[in-house]
Each structure stands twice: as structure tokens, then as C-alpha cells.
């Protein structure tokens, strides 16, 4: 940097800090509640978490009793002593003389007071007075509307209405777009805002967006488009570009976009914005921010095992901010610059740079958040700038989520306001240039959080990015052309002749022939078991390292062909694209996870040794394993069960579901390509009821690993236990069956989070998951609110051809399944009331499609509440309270998955102890267990209690032998 500019940065920066600190001293008294609360929160990490969680849940505590209960639950110990200032606020010093009603009201008042520090007005009527107040202080305004997440067309319309009202209100000032400014979030304008399909998202969002832009133009109000999560960035820019290229706007309209400096690829994004701006007839305003979603970005990327898209080090973001600011400023006047920060160094840099380059004030401005940067805004006005205050409008107590974010920012380790203004740290250090050398190029980075994991899972494909998106589209086209394949029977490496074959058609469209599959018979079963038994000794004697190597090589093969496999799955079983990819990812994870876990198990386990005696347990493979799999996770489940058997030294008969034999064949071929010797894995395709019993009964089969329906599972358990004329062992069986899974929603559930999770759990992949949600138990007080939003959101949940990215629900697997589910819907109408059903006119006509359905008032004895339907029918049950809800949820023969949506600690704790399910999910979707992270499996009639995706699972494939050796000789113990 030019030394004269750096010198000027220091001078201006020192001056701004001094002015801001002086102002802060004046503001201090007005902020006593906030400061007291923040000081208290900083006492410990745990307290801070609980305090913010309480602030978050409070708006939903509708009764004084609930408020008191939650205060007690969130702050149970005397160590949580609330500081005197807040205690006085709550009048908790004399709790005995306070009624619950008074405590509730006082808490509400206190939060309203704090909220008002950050949320400027509750509705459009308060906007103009606020506008005038800020104007008098020498500031400009940008209005931001707070609200709930948009989940339905109705909610998107409501947002549009609010924005229009606000634009008209601002327009009344008649002072032009520079003064009248509103910030909007595009995701609020469509329930279908989806990063994976930008063209369709753009089409669906643009109609409301266009209305806004037209009105803004009429009213001479400036529209600034906010930027949200990283995944939404490109689609947001795509919608804006598409709109601006419409004929109506070709002559130009002044709009603003946002660039987030914390993103590692922000520089590339800016290049894109600048080349676009060059072609626009009016300057594009670029608001440069550091970025407001840092925690979410990091958490999300860590969970997916994706590279973290944001800088994890504050210095890097600071350096990027300056670099971007300078690039933007050098492109003035094609762009206008809005520098949105509370960091005085960054502001001083802009001031020094614009002074050095003689850039006029009309081309740049500063933006600060209402209630956070007041003292700095004041300092800027003293230097004759007119800072713009980004001002949230909304009901203050309802706007708590926003408030929590702001409070967190204030206490964050990176907050300039905290260190620079409140704590008055050394100004020279605060103004030091950020270390640009720490900037790394995006391509050099790796997922740097993997070291923290014991197992490094395969990341799902990031379909919001264009490369994976394009590759997937190409794979779908190619696979579509290569269908109609033969699926043979393969025993000891050789293809066997089959007397019968059957055709498998795609559930998406019956005209698409997927495969012609051979039907195995008793003779094939006999010879496949013979081959596996014959190879058992050789395979079981291999060192575990060798067997694990085969598995890892198989994983690599699957990974190299993951696009084709996912595309095939879309056609073979009708899975939506991202779920098909998740199935392939899970298969790869099973192979890698089990190959790693097997090492630990094959070590002898010492029990207790004496000088003259050693005692240990050694595990030994069982023999021939029959692997019988369902069609709904056609790759992952077959892979998981067979990989566990193989790595532990057993030989295998693969018996895939008849509906998904082609996917299964791909696994078999991968095992072959990885070099697993012939006969170790044998492939028997065909209908299970025809050859399954022979396989299960065969006395040489030592272990059966089955996943499928309750009916077949129980049959297998019974057949496997039958006495044989010449028994050689008691067969071991691992049986994983279905569920009738319930989720409970209590009065404190956050509906913005709960409703998408419910829809995803019940309807994605048409509810054809063992873990899918089919019973929703809702407590009285939230019932009506939940139902009206749930039904509206269900309307926006699209059913259609799953080879399109936006579709999360495709067809059901077969005509038989379609008939069964339609019968179930008719039964629901007869026994209770259907409150939502997808309009059948919107369903494609070629495949096995069924409407999504929500039913209420079903009688307790209804079969629809007891038996698995395996389709997208959600039954909602109303109940009085959480305890009652738990009793209803537990009233089931199944115990597979379950969910709780609540922010009441005692309810969550109670569910952890008493909810009878193998996998319990709290405040999230109840499907999607990950290998190594959420070992999966149920009990009661859901299964034998084994946990797939854990090291324990492998134990089931061994028998344990205890060995005790006397090591002394003639009374001498070894040294
Ligand atoms: P299904 O029971 O009809 O078939 C499962 C497998 O068993 C298929 O390979 C089939 O050919 C075979 N089979 C059928 N009759 C047989 C017999 N008499 N002897 C031996 N094998 C026989 O199940 P599906 O329709 O493929 O899968 C859906 C079911 O699977 C649902 O009930 C679902 O809940 C369950 N499921 C459970 C889990 C879990 O982990 N618990 C996971 C996925 C699916």
C-alpha cells in the first residue's frame, strides 16, 4: 500500500476512534440493560449459551407459568446469579411477592427494552418518524424487514405485501432513491428458493421481485438485495441478473448487491460483479460486508465435510476486505461503493483512499447496523459523512432471533465495537494493517476440520455449485441412454443360466425399461452357498489388512463412478438426485468405515492375566453370510451389510431386492474390480419369496443379515430358527425392519425450523424410508399455528420427476405401492379427515405418483396409526401436553426413529430417557443417519437392535472364543 495512504489511515482512524469513544461514554447510560446482560453472559460459555437460548425461546412462552418454568430450567443453579441490574429489572430479589403474571410481564418488558436497542420500529407506521430522527442525526437509512422464514406461496405473498407497503411509505418522503433505501432478501419472495436449480428458482422468484422493482422505480426508492448463506449467493446473483436483462429494465435501474469478504472466493465473485457492472447503463452499488453467517457457514461445512467456504481467521477477512474495497473503488464510477462495517481501520482505509484518488462523495458511503455502530456513526458524521443505518423493522419480542445474532456479534472475539469502543484497547493495535500474506488461494485449501474426526466421511456432492450440477445432468442423460441392461446370476465368478427373467421398469415412467433380471432358483441357491462355503477358509485366513484393502479399493471405484451410480438410482428407484447421491456416499462411507473399524476388533482382547496364565478373547468369522437387502437404499444397505460380513472374514451371497438389482450388480462389479477372489461374493438376483426361503434355510448359511419389511423379517427369523434334520449351528440373524415413526412438537418448538424438518422427514423420497415420519404428535397450544403453516408449506413441496434438482419427492416404487398408498388415503378420508392432499392434476401421469397427504382425527385403533404404509401420508394427532404426546409416540410395536421439536430442556431430557426409539433426533429431521456418526437401527418390531455404521455392528459377524493358556513350566512363570 502507498505509504502516504497508510499514514492517512492512521490519522483518520485515530480521530474516528477518539470521537466514537467520546460518544460511547454519553450512550453508556442508555445501554445499561444491554451492557449488564452482556457482562453477565460473558461469565461463562455455558451461561452465555443458556442465556441466548432463553432469549430465543421467550417469545413463544405464552403463559406466565411457562415463563417461570423456563427461567428455572435455563438457570437452575445459584451460580447463575443474575447481575443486580437485571435482577432489579426482573424484580427477582423478592420473588415471593411476585406473581407469575408479573414476572412474565417484567421479563417481556425487559426483552422489549433490549430488543428496541436493535430493532428500530415495529411496523411501517413508525418508519417515517424514525427516518426523521436519524436524518436529524445526519444519517441515511436502509430498511430491513424482519420476519419468519418463507415456506409457502402465501407467506411469500405476505412478504411481498409488506415490502410494497414499506416502499410506498418511504416513497412518501419524495426525496429520491439516495435517501429512500430498502434492503430485501430474495429467499423471502419464494418458498422454492433453491440453489441447485438457478434457472427454475429465477423463474419462480422473479414475478414477485419484478413487482417490487417496478414499485420501487415508481416511488423512487432504492432496492438493495441482501446476501444470505453461501449456497444462495450464485442463485441470488442469477435472479438479479435475469431480472435486469428483461426488456423493461434494459434502460437501467439502480440496484444494490452485496459482496461478503469472509468468503474465500470473494475476489472471484467481485471480478464477476465488475465485468457485469461494466455492461450496465447505471452504476451498480456494491455493499461490501464482512459477512453475517460465519457460524452457520462453518457448522454446515463441517457437518458436510466440505471445505469451509469462509476464512477461519479474522485477519484474513480483514485483509480481504481491504483488498476488495480498493478494487471496488478503482472501478468507480461504473460502480458505487457501500462500505458496510464497524471496523474503524476499514473505514479509515476507504476515507484515505478516496481522498488520495479524489473520489467524490456521491460514489461511496458507509453503512452501519442500527443500535450497534451508533457511536461510530456519530464519529463519521463529525467528519462530514452521512452514514447509512441498516435498520431492522419488526415486532421487537418476535424479532428475538435477530436480536440474538446481534448480541452474539457484540460479544464475539472479532467484534471491533467490543474491543475498540467498549474495552478501549490500544488504538494503534486496532488500526494495524491486516496481514495480507495470510490470504491463501481457494484452490490450496482442503477441508481443514477433518483431523478432528475419527473417521473422515465422503462429502456429499455440492450441487449448489455449477460443476457438480453439470456433471450430474450429463450423467443423467448418459445413464438414460444406457438403460435396459441384463442382470445375471453370478456364482463363483461365472454367469449362470437362468430359466426365468423379469423386467424392471422405472417408477418415473413405465416406458423406461431399466433391466432384464434373472430369477435365481433353488439350484442356484445351492450352488452359490456351496461356492461361498468353499471359499470361506481361504478368505477368513487372509489378514484383516488385506480384506480391508479390498474394501477400500471398492470404495474408490464407487467414488470414481458416483455420478453414474446416483443417476442410475434416480431411474431405477425414483430417488431425488441429492438423496441418490447420499445413498452412494453412504455406501462409500460404509466401506471405508468398516475397513478401518475391523482392525481394532481383530486384536486379541485380554481379559485378565496372571504370571502363570494368560486369558484373552479372539474373534472368528462365522462362515457363509446371506445378505438380503431392500430396494429403498439400493446401494448403501447392500454395501453396508456385505462389507461388514466380508471384512470380518465371512463369505457372502448377495441377494438384492428385485426392484433394484441393477444398482446391486454395480456393487458386485465393483467388488470384482477391486480384486476380491471369485466365489467370495456371489450374486443371486430374483424375487425373494421364490428363492429366499431356500437361502435362509440352507444349513451351511451361518449368518443372515436382512433389512426389509416386518412381514418378511419375521418370516426369516422364524425360518432361520427352524430345526434342521442335520443342524450344524444355530443361525445368527440380524434383522432390520420398518417403523411407524413419530415426532412430537411441543409449545416451544421453533416453527421456522420445525416445519421444513417435518416435511423433509415425512415426504422426501415419498416417505419410502424406514426412518420416515408418519405420526406427528402436536400439543394443543401450538396445534393451530403449526397446522396452518404446515399445510401451506406442504403445498409448496413439489412432487414430480426426480431427475430435476428441485424435486424432493418423486414416484413410489411400483404400481402395487401406489395402489396400497391410494387405499390408505381413502381410508384416512373415511376414518378421519384429510386436511391436505397434493392436487392430483399436478402429478405426472406416466409414473407411479401419489399425492402427499396430511390427515387428522384418525381413531386410535386405526391401522394407519399402527402399521407402516411406506408412503407420504402423515397422520397428525392432537394432544394436551408433552407427557401425553410421549405416551402416544411410544404406543407402537415399532421403535425405530423418533423426533422432538422443543426448546424446553426438561422435555428434551425426558425424551432422551423415555422415547422408545433406536434413533432419536432433536430439533432436526428424523431421517438421514450418517455412518460412524449416528449408528442406525431399532428394536421392538423394528429390529434386533444392531447398530449399522458402528464398530459394534461388526462384532455380530464374529463368534468370540476365549483362550486361557497356562504359561508356567514346572512352577516357573515366564519373565
Ligand atoms: P421386503 O421385505 O419386501 O424385501 C426385502 C428383501 O427381502 C428383498 O431383497 C426381498 O427380495 C427379500 N425377500 C422377500 N421375501 C423373502 C422371503 N420370503 N425370504 C427371504 N427374502 C425375502 O422389503 P422392501 O420392500 O424391499 O423394503 C422396504 C422395507 O424395508 C420397509 O418395511 C422398510 O421400513 C424396511 N427398511 C428397513 C431399514 C432399517 O434399517 N430398519 C432400512 C431400509 C428399509
Amino acid at each position: 500500500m502507498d505509504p502516504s495512504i497508510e499514514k492517512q489511515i492512521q490519522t483518520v482512524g485515530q480521530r474516528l476512534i477518539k470521537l466514537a469513544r467520546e460518544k460511547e461514554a454519553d450512550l453508556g447510560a442508555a445501554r445499561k440493560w444491554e451492557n449488564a446482560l452482556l457482562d453477565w453472559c460473558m461469565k461463562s460459555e455455558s451461561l452465555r449459551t443458556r442465556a441466548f437460548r432463553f432469549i430465543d425461546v421467550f417469545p413463544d412462552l405464552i403463559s406466565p407459568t411457562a415463563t417461570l418454568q423456563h427461567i428455572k430450567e435455563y438457570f437452575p443453579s445459584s451460580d447463575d446469579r443474575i447481575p443486580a441490574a437485571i435482577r432489579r429489572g426482573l424484580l427477582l430479589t423478592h420473588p415471593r411477592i411476585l406473581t407469575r403474571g408479573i414476572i412474565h410481564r417484567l421479563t417481556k418488558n425487559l426483552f422489549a427494552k433490549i430488543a428496541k436497542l436493535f430493532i428500530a420500529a415495529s411496523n411501517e407506521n413508525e418508519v417515517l418518524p424514525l427516518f426523521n430522527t436519524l436524518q436529524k442525526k445526519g444519517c441515511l437509512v436502509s430498511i430491513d424487514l424482519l420476519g419468519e422464514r418463507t415456506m409457502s406461496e402465501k407467506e411469500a405473498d405476505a412478504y411481498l405485501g409488506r415490502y410494497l407497503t414499506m416502499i410506498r411509505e418511504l416513497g412518501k418522503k419524495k426525496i429520491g432513491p439516495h435517501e429512500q433505501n430498502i434492503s430485501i432478501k430474495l429467499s423471502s419472495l419464494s418458498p422454492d428458493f433453491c440453489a441447485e436449480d438457478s434457472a427454475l428458482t429465477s423463474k419462480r422468484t422473479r414475478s414477485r421481485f419484478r413487482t417490487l422493482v417496478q414499485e420501487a422505480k415508481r416511488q423512487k426508492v432504492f432496492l438493495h438485495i441482501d446476501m444470505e448463506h453461501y449456497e444462495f449467493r450464485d442463485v441470488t446473483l442469477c435472479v438479479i441478473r435475469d431480472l435486469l436483462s428483461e426488456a423493461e429494465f434494459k434502460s437501467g435501474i439502480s440496484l444494490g448487491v452485496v459482496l461478503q469478504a469472509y468468503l474465500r472466493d470473494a475476489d472471484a465473485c467481485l471480478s464477476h460483479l465488475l465485468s457485469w457492472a461494466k455492461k450496465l447503463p447505471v452504476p451498480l452499488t456494491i455493499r461490501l460486508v464482512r459477512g453475517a453467517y460465519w457460524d452457520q457457514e462453518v457448522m454446515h461445512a463441517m457437518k458436510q465435510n466440505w471445505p469451509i467456504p469462509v476464512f477461519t481467521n479474522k485477519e484474513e477477512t480483514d485483509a480481504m476486505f481491504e483488498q476488495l474495497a480498493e478494487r471496488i473503488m478503482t472501478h468507480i464510477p461504473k460502480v458505487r461503493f457501500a462500505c458496510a462495517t464497524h471496523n474503524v481501520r476499514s473505514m479509515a482505509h476507504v476515507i484515505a483512499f478516496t481522498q488520495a484518488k479524489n473520489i467524490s462523495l456521491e460514489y461511496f458511503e458507509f453503512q452501519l447496523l442500527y443500535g450497534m455502530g451508533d457511536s461510530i456513526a456519530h464519529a463519521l458524521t463529525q467528519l462530514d459523512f452521512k452514514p447509512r443505518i441498516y435498520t431492522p423493522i419488526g415486532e421487537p419480542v418476535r424479532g428475538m432471533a435477530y436480536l440474538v445474532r446481534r448480541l452474539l456479534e457484540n460479544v464475539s472475539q472479532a467484534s471491533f465495537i467490543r474491543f475498540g469502543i467498549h474495552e478501549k484497547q490500544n488504538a494503534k493495535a486496532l488500526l494495524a494493517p491486516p496481514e495480507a500474506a495470510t490470504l491463501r488461494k481457494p484452490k490450496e485449501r482442503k477441508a481443514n476440520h477433518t483431523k478432528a474426526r475419527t473417521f473422515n466421511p465422503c462429502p456429499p456432492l455440492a450441487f449448489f455449485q455449477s460443476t457438480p450440477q453439470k456433471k450430474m445432468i450429463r450423467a443423467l442423460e448418459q445413464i438414460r441412454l444406457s438403460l435396459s441392461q441384463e442382470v445375471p446370476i453370478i456364482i463363483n465368478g461365472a454367469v449362470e443360466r437362468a430359466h426365468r427373467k423379469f423386467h424392471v421398469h422405472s417408477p418415473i415412467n413405465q416406458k423406461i425399461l431399466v433391466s432384464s433380471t434373472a430369477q435365481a432358483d433353488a439350484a442356484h441357491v445351492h450352488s452359490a452357498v456351496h461356492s461361498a462355503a468353499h471359499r470361506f477358509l481361504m478368505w477368513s485366513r487372509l489378514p484383516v489388512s488385506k480384506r480391508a484393502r479390498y474394501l477400500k479399493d471398492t470404495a474408490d471405484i464407487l467414488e470414481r463412478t458416483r455420478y453414474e451410480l446416483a443417476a442410475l438410482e434416480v431411474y431405477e428407484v425414483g430417488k431425488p438426485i441429492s438423496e441418490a447421491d447420499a445413498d452412494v456416499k453412504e455406501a462409500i462411507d460404509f466401506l471405508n468405515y468398516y475397513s478401518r473399524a475391523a482392525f481394532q476388533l481383530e486384536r486379541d482382547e485380554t481379559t485378565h492375566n496372571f504370571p502363570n496364565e494368560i486369558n484373552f478373547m479372539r474373534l472368528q468369522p462365522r462362515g457363509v453370510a446371506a445378505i438380503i437387502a431392500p430396494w429403498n437404499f439400493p446401494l448403501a444397505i447392500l454395501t453396508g451389510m456385505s462389507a461388514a460380513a466380508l471384512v470380518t472374514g465371512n463369505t457372502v451371497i448377495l441377494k438384492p431386492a428385485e426392484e433394484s438389482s441393477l444398482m446391486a450388480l454395480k456393487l458386485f462389479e465393483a467388488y470384482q474390480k477391486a480384486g476380491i477372489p471369485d466365489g467370495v461374493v456371489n450374486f443371486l438376483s430374483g424375487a425373494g419369496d421364490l428363492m429366499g426361503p431356500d437361502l435362509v434355510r440352507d444349513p451351511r448359511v451361518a449368518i443372515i443379515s436382512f433389512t426389509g419389511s416386518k412381514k418378511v423379517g419375521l418370516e426369516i427369523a422364524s425360518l432361520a430358527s427352524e430345526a434342521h434334520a442335520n443342524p450344524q449351528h444355530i443361525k445368527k440373524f440380524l434383522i432390520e425392519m420398518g417403523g411407524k415413526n413419530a415426532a412430537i412438537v411441543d409449545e416451544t418448538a421453533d416453527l421456522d425450523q420445525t416445519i421444513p424438518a417435518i416435511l423433509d422427514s415425512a415426504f422426501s423420497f415419498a416417505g419410502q424410508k424406514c426412518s420416515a415420519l408418519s405420526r406427528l404428535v402436536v400439543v394443543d397450544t401450538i396445534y393451530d399455528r403449526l397446522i396452518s403453516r404446515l399445510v401451506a408449506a406442504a403445498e409448496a413441496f413439489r412432487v414430480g420427476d426426480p431427475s430435476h434438482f428441485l424435486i424432493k419427492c418423486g414416484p413410489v416404487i411400483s404400481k402395487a405401492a401406489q395402489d396400497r398408498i391410494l387405499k390408505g388415503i381413502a381410508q384416512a378420508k373415511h376414518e378421519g379427515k384429510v386436511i391436505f392432499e397434493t392436487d392430483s392434476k399436478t402429478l405426472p401421469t406416466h409414473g407411479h405418483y401419489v399425492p402427499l397427504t396430511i390427515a387428522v382425527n384418525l381413531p386410535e385403533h386405526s391401522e394407519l396409526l399402527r402399521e407402516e404404509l411406506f408412503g407420504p401420508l402423515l397422520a397428525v394427532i392432537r394432544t394436551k401436553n408433552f407427557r401425553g404426546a410421549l405416551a402416544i409416540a411410544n404406543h407402537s410395536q415399532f421403535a425405530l426413529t423418533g423426533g422432538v421439536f422443543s426448546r424446553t430442556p426438561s422435555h428434551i431430557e425426558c425424551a432422551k430417557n423415555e422415547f422408545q426409539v433406536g434413533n432419536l433426533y432433536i430439533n432436526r429431521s428424523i431421517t438421514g443417519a450418517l455412518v460412524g456418526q449416528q449408528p442406525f437401527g431399532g428394536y421392538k418390531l423394528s429390529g434386533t437392535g444392531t447398530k449399522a455404521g458402528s464398530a459394534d455392528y461388526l462384532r455380530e459377524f464374529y463368534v468370540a472364543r476365549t483362550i486361557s493358556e497356562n504359561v508356567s513350566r514346572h512352577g516357573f512363570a515366564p519373565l
Side-chain angles (χ1 to χ4, degrees):
M1 172 157 332
D2 180 342
S4 67
I5 294 185
E6 183 57 47
K7 197 161 162 238
Q8 181 64 352
I9 292 175
Q10 299 303 320
T11 313
V12 175
Q14 293 279 1
R15 180 135 170 71
L16 280 173
I17 289 178
K18 182 166 175 293
L19 288 165
R21 283 179 181 170
E22 282 165 11
K23 182 69 184 172
E24 190 63 24
D26 294 347
L27 292 174
R31 294 192 156 258
K32 70 173 188 235
W33 298 111
E34 182 206 351
N35 292 341
L37 185 68
L38 293 185
D39 287 348
W40 178 57
C41 292
M42 292 303 288
K43 263 176 60 180
S44 78
E45 193 64 43
S46 144
L47 193 55
R48 195 170 73 179
T49 306
R50 284 178 288 134
F52 286 146
R53 285 187 177 175
F54 179 66
I55 293 172
D56 175 57
V57 72
F58 179 73
D60 288 310
L61 302 178
I62 47 169
S63 71
T65 311
T67 303
L68 203 65
Q69 178 203 340
H70 284 80
I71 290 177
K72 283 183 188 156
E73 288 194 20
Y74 276 89
F75 311 109
S77 109
S78 55
D79 292 350
D80 299 334
R81 274 177 61 83
I82 300 173
I86 300 180
R87 258 203 334 271
R88 272 196 299 280
L90 290 170
L91 296 187
L92 288 184
T93 35
H94 305 291
R96 264 163 301 157
I97 61 165
L98 288 176
T99 64
R100 290 165 183 207
I102 295 177
I103 292 181
H104 179 71
R105 244 190 351 268
L106 291 169
T107 313
K108 199 166 174 176
N109 290 346
L110 174 78
F111 283 148
K113 252 185 210 168
I114 297 172
K116 278 199 169 143
L117 294 171
F118 299 95
I119 300 169
S122 40
N123 58 52
E124 60 278 3
N125 299 330
E126 296 173 18
V127 167
L128 289 187
L130 169 86
F131 206 94
N132 296 335
T133 316
L134 288 170
Q135 217 173 17
K136 271 188 212 134
K137 291 183 179 174
C139 299
L140 300 165
V141 180
S142 182
I143 299 292
D144 165 44
L145 290 183
L146 296 178
E148 289 168 328
R149 175 174 169 173
T150 297
M151 288 183 274
S152 63
E153 299 292 346
K154 201 167 123 199
E155 290 174 356
D157 281 339
Y159 253 109
L160 174 67
R162 288 178 67 206
Y163 281 134
L164 287 173
T165 311
M166 195 55 79
I167 289 172
R168 287 174 194 141
E169 201 61 25
L170 288 176
K172 285 183 189 161
K173 290 280 300 177
K174 302 216 179 311
I175 42 176
H178 183 58
E179 307 282 326
Q180 303 168 160
N181 186 307
I182 179 165
S183 295
I184 66 168
K185 287 182 181 57
L186 289 187
S187 70
S188 64
L189 296 179
S190 167
D192 272 337
F193 205 80
C194 156
E196 285 90 8
D197 193 334
S198 38
L200 209 55
T201 301
S202 172
K203 199 168 147 212
R204 294 208 170 131
T205 313
R206 255 183 296 147
S207 62
R208 292 190 184 94
F209 186 27
R210 189 180 304 112
T211 310
L212 274 187
V213 174
Q214 287 163 340
E215 188 61 23
K217 201 173 167 189
R218 266 195 292 279
Q219 303 288 344
K220 297 197 169 38
V221 169
F222 185 90
L223 281 192
H224 211 118
I225 320 304
D226 272 337
M227 201 50 90
E228 304 171 62
H229 301 102
Y230 178 54
E231 285 183 26
F232 280 177
R233 184 189 62 185
D234 293 350
V235 68
T236 301
L237 293 176
C238 165
V239 180
I240 303 171
R241 283 190 71 145
D242 287 353
L243 190 91
L244 292 194
S245 59
E246 288 183 4
E248 180 182 356
F249 305 113
K250 275 240 162 88
S251 58
I253 170 132
S254 40
L255 266 183
V257 295
V258 174
L259 179 65
Q260 295 156 314
Y262 65 5
L263 291 177
R264 289 174 183 271
D265 63 355
D267 204 30
C269 181
L270 178 59
S271 301
H272 164 83
L273 290 178
L274 292 173
S275 64
W276 176 34
K278 270 188 204 149
K279 295 175 211 141
L280 293 175
V282 277
L284 177 73
T285 299
I286 300 179
R287 179 198 289 158
L288 179 63
V289 299
R290 277 180 167 66
Y293 300 87
W294 191 89
D295 281 352
Q296 283 109 308
E297 298 294 2
V298 172
M299 287 186 294
H300 183 58
M302 284 178 81
K303 188 144 185 252
Q304 302 293 341
N305 205 15
W306 284 336
I308 294 177
V310 293
F311 294 115
T312 44
N313 165 338
K314 179 186 168 302
E315 283 266 294
E316 288 179 300
T317 304
D318 291 345
M320 180 60 98
F321 193 96
E322 279 193 18
Q323 188 179 305
L324 297 169
E326 233 166 276
R327 271 190 79 197
I328 297 171
M329 288 186 284
T330 49
H331 284 80
I332 286 171
K334 279 313 285 180
V335 292
R336 280 193 76 250
F337 179 37
C339 173
T341 179
H342 296 150
N343 183 310
V344 172
R345 155 91 204 177
S346 306
M347 291 174 189
H349 167 241
V350 172
I351 295 171
F353 190 87
T354 48
Q355 283 170 350
K357 308 283 173 195
N358 262 330
I359 295 175
S360 147
L361 263 180
E362 71 184 285
Y363 289 110
F364 73 99
E365 67 181 41
F366 295 101
Q367 296 194 358
L368 297 100
L369 291 175
Y370 182 88
M372 273 182 74
D374 299 354
S375 50
I376 302 179
H378 170 80
L380 284 167
T381 59
Q382 299 304 295
L383 300 190
D384 290 334
F385 292 102
K386 264 188 149 186
R388 188 180 301 281
I389 309 299
Y390 184 91
T391 309
I393 308 289
E395 206 274 297
V397 177
R398 276 274 148 213
M400 285 289 179
Y402 176 83
L403 174 65
V404 169
R405 260 209 3 243
R406 293 285 82 93
L407 289 173
L408 275 172
E409 233 166 87
N410 262 354
V411 297
S412 106
Q413 295 300 327
S415 164
F416 192 96
I417 306 269
R418 177 177 159 200
F419 294 114
I421 309 301
H422 296 157
E423 297 184 7
K424 298 194 178 127
Q425 288 192 358
N426 179 289
K428 210 168 155 209
L430 290 166
L431 293 171
E435 192 42 79
T438 54
L439 281 183
R440 266 178 280 132
K441 291 235 162 59
K443 64 177 183 228
E444 289 168 24
R445 80 204 139 100
K446 281 212 167 87
N448 53 0
H449 42 271
T450 49
K451 275 194 207 135
R453 295 179 189 253
T454 46
F455 163 64
N456 188 13
C458 165
L461 291 173
F463 288 124
F464 67 93
Q465 290 170 340
S466 70
T467 308
Q469 227 176 70
K470 283 183 192 144
K471 281 190 181 174
M472 192 67 218
I473 291 168
R474 205 172 321 126
L476 283 161
E477 285 162 5
Q478 281 167 357
I479 288 295
R480 173 82 175 75
L481 297 174
S482 70
L483 290 171
S484 316
Q485 293 180 27
E486 293 285 325
V487 176
I489 294 160
I490 305 168
I491 298 170
N492 201 20
V495 170
E496 296 290 318
R497 268 172 60 87
H499 300 293
R500 282 178 56 195
K501 280 184 183 177
F502 56 91
H503 288 149
V504 177
H505 295 271
S506 172
I508 300 178
N509 182 343
Q510 277 71 78
K511 290 189 186 130
I512 305 175
L513 177 66
V514 175
S515 70
S516 179
T517 298
Q519 170 66 55
D521 56 25
H524 293 122
V525 171
H526 185 82
S527 95
V529 177
H530 174 79
S531 154
H534 176 67
R535 303 301 271 166
F536 173 65
L537 215 55
M538 173 282 295
W539 182 249
S540 61
R541 283 180 178 168
L542 289 183
V544 66
S545 58
K546 188 105 201 241
R547 294 194 302 257
R549 186 71 260 160
Y550 285 124
L551 258 59
K552 280 180 176 300
D553 290 347
T554 309
D556 291 345
I557 293 165
L558 296 188
E559 190 148 10
R560 284 200 294 276
T561 49
R562 67 184 292 184
Y563 286 94
E564 292 74 20
L565 288 168
L568 176 58
E569 189 161 335
V570 171
Y571 283 110
E572 192 173 36
V573 299
K575 247 193 193 189
I577 295 170
S578 57
E579 299 215 32
D581 172 61
D583 189 51
V584 179
K585 165 214 153 43
E586 191 179 347
I588 296 167
D589 283 346
F590 271 131
L591 288 159
N592 287 325
Y593 182 86
Y594 287 147
S595 59
R596 196 170 166 277
F599 278 100
Q600 281 142 20
L601 288 180
E602 286 223 351
R603 278 184 219 123
D604 292 338
E605 192 182 319
T606 301
T607 50
H608 196 90
N609 286 341
F610 297 97
N612 62 344
E613 183 181 88
I614 55 172
N615 295 298
F616 63 91
M617 287 210 301
R618 180 168 289 180
L619 299 179
Q620 177 179 294
R622 288 178 181 270
V624 176
I627 306 295
I628 307 176
W631 54 267
N632 66 335
F633 287 84
L635 194 64
I637 292 183
L638 189 68
T639 306
M641 295 194 295
S642 57
L646 287 169
V647 79
T648 48
N650 303 282
T651 50
V652 160
I653 317 287
L654 286 184
K655 156 61 194 96
E658 40 277 49
E659 296 87 344
S660 58
S661 320
L662 190 51
M663 281 300 288
L665 181 66
K666 300 296 166 194
L667 172 67
F668 178 81
E669 288 170 353
Y671 279 143
Q672 270 192 325
K673 278 188 202 138
I676 293 183
D678 289 345
V680 172
V681 185
N682 302 277
F683 187 80
L684 287 187
S685 54
D689 53 347
L690 296 182
M691 50 72 160
D694 291 318
L695 179 61
V696 172
R697 272 204 213 98
D698 194 301
R700 293 162 299 175
V701 170
I703 173 165
I704 299 148
S705 183
F706 166 85
T707 305
S709 61
K710 181 185 82 174
K711 177 178 166 287
V712 176
L714 293 182
E715 258 170 50
I716 289 178
S718 148
L719 274 185
S721 312
E722 260 178 22
H724 190 267
N726 179 20
Q728 292 168 25
H729 42 223
I730 299 170
K731 283 183 204 288
K732 169 88 178 173
F733 50 82
L734 312 176
I735 299 216
E736 302 301 325
M737 299 177 288
K740 192 75 206 169
N741 309 306
I744 298 172
V745 182
D746 81 5
E747 59 277 24
T748 59
D750 175 350
L751 294 187
D752 273 4
Q753 189 183 55
T754 303
I755 289 171
I758 291 173
L759 293 176
D760 179 54
S761 307
F763 295 151
S764 58
F765 191 32
Q768 300 173 109
K769 298 178 192 172
C770 56
S771 53
L773 172 66
S774 55
R775 295 180 299 145
L776 185 68
V777 194
V778 185
V779 304
D780 236 2
T781 38
I782 202 170
Y783 187 88
D784 293 334
R785 211 153 46 92
L786 172 93
I787 292 294
S788 73
R789 286 193 81 192
L790 182 70
V791 167
E795 271 161 20
F797 202 100
R798 302 202 186 258
V799 182
D801 180 341
S803 62
H804 300 291
F805 278 107
L806 211 63
I807 297 296
K808 301 285 175 249
C809 177
V812 295
I813 188 71
S814 61
K815 174 82 175 69
Q818 187 184 32
D819 291 345
R820 187 187 66 234
I821 295 161
L822 292 176
K823 208 169 136 211
I825 297 172
Q827 191 180 341
K829 286 178 182 165
H830 176 68
E831 292 181 347
K833 186 176 166 199
V834 165
I835 56 168
F836 170 74
E837 191 178 353
T838 309
D839 181 355
S840 55
K841 287 197 273 316
T842 63
L843 301 179
T845 46
H846 291 308
H848 307 304
Y849 291 89
V850 295
L852 308 177
T853 307
I854 303 178
V856 296
N857 300 345
L858 291 171
E860 212 176 299
H861 62 266
S862 172
E863 203 188 332
L864 293 170
L865 295 177
R866 288 186 288 114
E867 293 296 337
E868 187 183 45
L869 183 68
F870 221 52
L873 192 156
L874 178 67
V876 187
I877 305 154
R878 186 174 191 149
T879 185
K880 268 210 166 74
N881 53 30
F882 183 80
R883 275 266 155 214
L886 191 56
I888 292 170
N890 281 340
H891 184 66
S892 173
Q893 56 182 317
F894 296 105
L896 192 49
T897 66
V900 173
F901 295 94
S902 168
R903 284 176 287 177
T904 301
S906 59
H907 291 176
I908 293 175
E909 201 45 41
C910 174
K912 284 179 186 168
N913 292 325
E914 296 177 27
F915 205 149
Q916 294 167 13
V917 288
N919 285 62
L920 175 64
Y921 298 97
I922 298 162
N923 291 324
R924 49 152 288 176
S925 157
I926 71 165
T927 67
L930 295 172
V931 173
Q933 247 161 273
Q934 292 118 4
F936 186 79
Y939 57 101
K940 291 191 187 169
L941 288 186
S942 288
T944 38
T946 38
K947 287 293 194 188
S950 74
D952 281 352
Y953 187 71
L954 295 184
R955 276 187 188 277
E956 310 281 348
F957 289 83
Y958 289 114
V959 284
R961 292 157 62 239
T962 303
I963 295 162
S964 189
E965 181 181 2
N966 174 3
V967 287
S968 74
R969 299 290 183 266
H970 299 288
F972 287 101
L975 283 177

